[in-house]
Structure formats: C-alpha cells, structure tokens
Amino acid sequence: MKSKFFTDPNLTFNETKSTLVEEDIVESIPFDFEGKKDFILFYTQYNGVVFPFGAFFYRDSFYEVRRDEYNLLDVGAFFEISNSENSILKMWESFKADLRAKDISSKYLPFGNDSSGNLFCIESKTGVVVYIQHENPKNITNVAPSFLDFCNKIQEEMR
C-alpha cells in the first residue's frame, strides 16, 4: 500500500495503528503551525512509528549544506500520542524542563528522535522541521520545510 508520508518503497517501519480521532490529536498539539493538517492526518493513520533497521534523511534534499554542517541524519522513531513515557506530550514536557529556556521550548514540538535521542521538532509558526541535539539545544538545524516534506524524504538506505 502506497503511503502519502513514506514514499520510499523499501522503507521498513513498525507502526502503531492509530485509533485516534482528530480531536485527540489537536489536544496534544500546543500550537498551530503550517502543515498541521498533514501532521493530524499522519496521526490518524499511525500513532507513532519505529524504524527497526534504521532510516536516513539528507538535509540537502531541501537546503544548501556546507561541508561543516550536518547533512545525513538518522531517524529512529516518531513518538506516540498517548500517556506513555514515549508520547509527544511527555517528550514536550521533558523538553521544556530540560531546556529551562521557555523562549526555545515553547517554539518547538518534538515528534521524533534519532538513535542518539536527539529530537526532530516542528517550529511553532512556520511548521519547519528542525533537529535539536540534546547536548546543545540552542544549536537548532533546519531539516525540512514541513512535516510532510520530512516524511517524504526519509529513506531506507544511505546514498
């Protein structure tokens, strides 16, 4: 079955089938952003995904990337919307507590991570997907113009 979100036909992921309705998802999102409809649609289909064999994303799909910048990023999972410890709400609360800088944490919604626990987040006004390292949370790297763009460019193999 072809997915609107994951376009690489070789991409392997374990999904949690969603039983969520739009209202459940909207309650879990602390702000509006460009591309919110795609985010909601994703979570009505999948309530989180895990990439058991790894998945990869290249920033140069959308941005010019210098030699001293990240290009290849691994993608480990998208969080669930639930009361579990790996839920979007729990991660957002933890993110805010860890940063202790409301000017940063209130602008980003973490929805996924890499294999090292660094976060993929949505920026509150633009809907741009960013990458935030837990060791240096003020170093924010643009990854994709939207959630849908990010999903569409995740691939199974490194190039």
Side-chain angles (χ1 to χ4, degrees), residues 31-95:
F31 45 71
D32 286 327
F33 55 89
E34 291 291 321
K36 186 174 181 179
K37 287 182 183 178
D38 289 322
F39 186 84
I40 291 169
L41 179 60
F42 178 88
Y43 276 94
T44 60
Q45 292 178 12
Y46 312 107
N47 189 6
V49 297
V50 174
F51 301 97
F53 305 113
F56 304 95
F57 180 89
Y58 289 89
R59 292 181 53 242
D60 66 4
S61 298
F62 300 105
Y63 303 109
E64 188 172 317
V65 180
R66 297 186 323 253
R67 287 181 179 252
D68 62 339
E69 294 179 314
Y70 290 111
N71 187 24
L72 170 65
L73 300 170
D74 78 280
V75 184
F78 287 14
F79 307 131
E80 295 178 4
I81 293 178
S82 68
N83 290 324
S84 77
E85 287 305 309
N86 291 323
S87 75
I88 285 178
L89 290 176
K90 298 279 187 205
M91 295 308 284
W92 191 61
E93 291 303 319
S94 173
F95 178 64

Side-chain angles (χ1 to χ4, degrees), residues 124-144:
S124 64
K125 290 185 176 69
T126 64
V128 168
V129 173
V130 300
Y131 179 73
I132 301 177
Q133 295 177 307
H134 55 79
E135 299 92 13
N136 187 5
K138 292 192 178 189
N139 185 11
I140 298 167
T141 304
N142 285 353
V143 172

Side-chain angles (χ1 to χ4, degrees), residues 1-7 11 13-21 25 38-51 78-82 88 111 147-148 151-152:
M1 181 171 102
K2 186 170 176 164
S3 168
K4 172 182 180 171
F5 298 99
F6 303 123
T7 57
L11 185 63
F13 59 93
N14 297 335
E15 63 185 272
T16 303
K17 288 279 189 204
S18 184
T19 58
L20 299 169
V21 294
I25 300 161
D38 289 322
F39 186 84
I40 291 169
L41 179 60
F42 178 88
Y43 276 94
T44 60
Q45 292 178 12
Y46 312 107
N47 189 6
V49 297
V50 174
F51 301 97
F78 287 14
F79 307 131
E80 295 178 4
I81 293 178
S82 68
I88 285 178
F111 68 86
F147 178 76
L148 181 59
C151 292
N152 285 174

